[in-house]
Amino acid sequence: MIVGNGDIEEGGAGIIDAADIVIRFNDCRSYGAGGSRTDAVAVCNTGRPAKAMLGSREWRAHPGVVSAGEIWSVRDPEKFAAMRAPLAVSHPELDDFCDDHTAAFSSFCADTGKRHVIIGKSVHEAVDASLSAFSPAPYVVPSSGMIVIAEVLNTYAEAEATLAGFGHVGWEWHPFSAERQLVDSYIAAGRLKRLGGEETLVSSSQGA
């Protein structure tokens, strides 16, 4: 179960908590209405989101973060280091977007007995290639949710993967329209499901 930070349908919490593996995002805003089981927390390990989480006692003490056995860093440090110079030209306002905090998440995991998973750039690049089929408008990076979906489909190919709390809206530089179409193609192919069926749930999260 991959649980974004958008709205969760009524009755969804129990279904989510019954899953074998539950993955949440960043500050675990889905925790509560979206159940409580949390096996992994996928984090943006660069830029402002990373700095905010690492500097927050509340994040470190969040019951979802505490109970998670794994932290998944969705941004490959090598990939984002290579993006810094081009982004300085195309998006100078994103001057701290590629600041890498992966080592700090590794230290946090070591201190708390968690496994640290760094999703490799090959996954990111495969997502870019898949999204290109849907002619996305210019974007900076796929959303964390899309990267995690790809990682789950690669790592747990035989598992039944279900999405909850995904509305495919948020930060302007994620290709959400193309991501929605890509996810719908996975659903049509039987590789993914949405909690409650095909309907799309509204999301207010950059991370989802």
Side-chain angles (χ1 to χ4, degrees):
M1 188 71 70
I2 306 170
V3 189
N5 286 329
D7 292 341
I8 307 294
E9 68 169 27
E10 187 174 350
I15 299 171
I16 291 168
D17 281 348
D20 294 320
I21 299 174
V22 177
I23 305 161
R24 302 184 192 274
F25 291 86
N26 290 326
D27 54 4
C28 297
R29 267 177 279 167
S30 62
Y31 192 96
S36 60
R37 176 166 184 162
T38 309
D39 297 283
V41 179
V43 299
C44 293
N45 49 302
T46 70
R48 295 169 202 172
K51 189 174 182 180
M53 284 182 278
L54 290 164
S56 167
R57 291 180 181 175
E58 290 79 6
W59 181 80
R60 292 169 179 265
H62 188 288
V65 175
V66 171
S67 65
E70 299 182 349
I71 300 293
W72 291 14
S73 287
V74 303
R75 296 177 171 175
D76 183 295
E78 182 182 342
K79 173 74 174 176
F80 279 72
M83 290 173 56
R84 185 182 291 276
L87 276 180
V89 175
S90 64
H91 296 79
E93 73 279 10
L94 300 180
D95 57 333
D96 59 353
F97 185 77
C98 296
D99 289 357
D100 182 35
H101 298 277
T102 308
F105 280 110
S106 290
S107 295
F108 169 72
C109 288
D111 291 344
T112 55
K114 303 182 191 301
R115 178 172 176 251
H116 188 204
V117 176
I118 302 171
I119 298 178
K121 67 177 182 177
S122 62
V123 174
H124 185 132
E125 290 165 358
V127 169
D128 284 331
S130 296
L131 289 169
S132 69
F134 302 99
S135 303
Y139 67 93
V140 174
V141 290
S143 70
S144 299
M146 198 68 241
I147 297 296
V148 167
I149 288 169
E151 176 71 4
V152 167
L153 292 179
N154 288 340
T155 305
Y156 303 102
E158 302 304 314
E160 180 180 293
T162 303
L163 305 184
F166 273 72
H168 309 290
V169 295
W171 189 50
E172 62 181 316
W173 295 116
H174 289 325
F176 281 116
S177 177
E179 289 189 5
R180 181 195 301 272
Q181 294 176 78
L182 180 57
V183 166
D184 285 346
S185 76
Y186 290 152
I187 291 170
R191 300 186 68 194
L192 273 178
K193 295 182 178 180
R194 289 190 194 274
L195 183 65
E198 296 286 341
E199 73 237 27
T200 302
L201 305 173
V202 176
S203 168
S204 60
S205 165
Q206 171 184 337

